[in-house]
Amino acid sequence: EAGVAQSPRYKIIEKRQSVAFWCNPISGHATLYWYQQILGQGPKLLIQFQNNGVVDDSQLPKDRFSAERLKGVDSTLKIQPAKLEDSAVYLCASRQIRRRDTEAFFGQGTRLTVV
Amino acid sequence: AQSVTQLDSHVSVSEGTPVLLRCNYSSSYSPSLFWYVQHPNKGLQLLLKYTSAATLVKGINGFEAEFKKSETSFHLTKPSAHMSDAAEYFCVVSALNAGGTSYGKLTFGQGTILTVHP
């Protein structure tokens, strides 16, 4: 089966600019996650969708970050305006939670550098 | 609330020697536990998962993990390290509430970088 697709793979922007990331999950997966992975740290959950509804966005910096999931399939994550500390890898994952031990599948991530 | 603590940020072993990566978890409900591996410039790949069917779990590439509820631990082991095992490893906890209405928040540990020397 096709995996989780993310684009772009790399992005370099100047601070105060805006940027958007795209994620296409595995077909049929109702749950979609966006994680931020800063160098040297474990991934931190930004937002979790169940179909097109938000389940958890408690750690999303809502003053600058936004995310949507259109029709419960693809998702975009936007940062506006970007700060230097937003430099990180942004990971998208999808999961079809039939049981509590169902695994999540991750994309390769988008590496963002803010200069 | 749930959390994961990986007790070592770096582990260094020689090729052919055993590997032990330690993970302790905290969860309000019966957890599911996973180990993922991340090779440089690659996506996260599942190594193994705890399914509650057995406390000793076997994964890919010769890795194993043992779930110990009394110690709230899920340590990852491998009898003999290979150079290709060099990567970063993440312990992950997922918990559903008793009613099954919580949709599986995945919480990651800080990661353990495994270095394998020839």
Side-chain angles (χ1 to χ4, degrees):
Chain A
E1 65 182 358
V4 176
Q6 289 189 248
S7 66
R9 288 292 313 277
Y10 305 93
K11 190 74 177 179
I12 301 175
I13 62 172
E14 295 181 350
K15 60 183 178 182
R16 292 187 290 274
Q17 286 187 323
S18 63
V19 64
F21 312 127
W22 174 82
C23 173
N24 180 235
I26 292 173
S27 177
H29 282 195
T31 303
L32 186 147
Y33 307 88
W34 282 103
Y35 283 86
Q36 179 192 57
Q37 185 177 16
I38 293 173
L39 187 64
Q41 299 180 19
K44 182 186 82 171
L45 178 68
L46 291 175
I47 190 166
Q48 178 186 343
F49 291 96
Q50 181 71 14
N51 295 308
N52 59 357
V54 175
V55 174
D56 185 345
D57 63 355
S58 57
Q59 297 190 89
L60 186 74
K62 297 180 185 65
D63 58 334
R64 297 185 300 105
F65 285 65
S66 64
E68 62 179 0
R69 189 177 184 194
L70 301 173
K71 299 181 181 178
V73 183
D74 292 5
S75 178
T76 56
L77 176 69
K78 297 179 182 178
I79 307 175
Q80 182 179 11
K83 293 184 175 182
L84 295 177
E85 58 261 36
D86 298 332
S87 294
V89 175
Y90 291 84
L91 297 168
C92 179
S94 72
R95 192 176 180 206
Q96 184 64 334
I97 307 176
R98 294 190 178 89
R99 298 171 11 161
R100 63 185 182 185
D101 60 3
T102 305
E103 70 193 81
F105 294 84
F106 287 81
Q108 290 199 284
T110 296
R111 183 178 298 275
L112 174 67
T113 303
V114 182
V115 299
Chain B
Q2 57 193 52
S3 65
V4 178
T5 301
Q6 292 184 240
L7 298 168
D8 307 290
S9 58
H10 290 84
V11 170
S12 182
V13 301
S14 297
E15 191 174 23
T17 64
V19 175
L20 171 63
L21 306 183
R22 298 181 294 167
C23 171
N24 285 106
Y25 70 91
S26 172
S27 176
S28 303
Y29 308 102
S30 296
S32 290
L33 293 156
F34 307 84
W35 276 98
Y36 281 83
V37 60
Q38 187 176 40
H39 291 275
N41 298 314
K42 296 285 183 65
L44 286 156
Q45 179 187 18
L46 180 71
L47 270 181
L48 49 80
K49 62 182 179 180
Y50 168 62
T51 65
S52 77
T55 56
L56 182 62
V57 181
K58 294 185 184 297
I60 62 172
N61 300 332
F63 283 93
E64 295 183 347
E66 186 170 8
F67 174 73
K68 293 186 176 181
K69 186 175 181 179
S70 61
E71 299 177 10
T72 60
S73 69
F74 191 56
H75 301 334
L76 182 70
T77 61
K78 184 174 181 177
S80 176
H82 191 272
M83 296 295 290
S84 61
D85 295 329
E88 189 163 18
Y89 292 79
F90 293 97
C91 184
V92 181
V93 64
S94 170
L96 293 176
N97 65 11
T101 58
S102 172
Y103 293 106
K105 178 177 180 178
L106 296 176
T107 302
F108 280 73
Q110 303 91 321
T112 299
I113 295 173
L114 175 65
T115 302
V116 182
H117 298 286

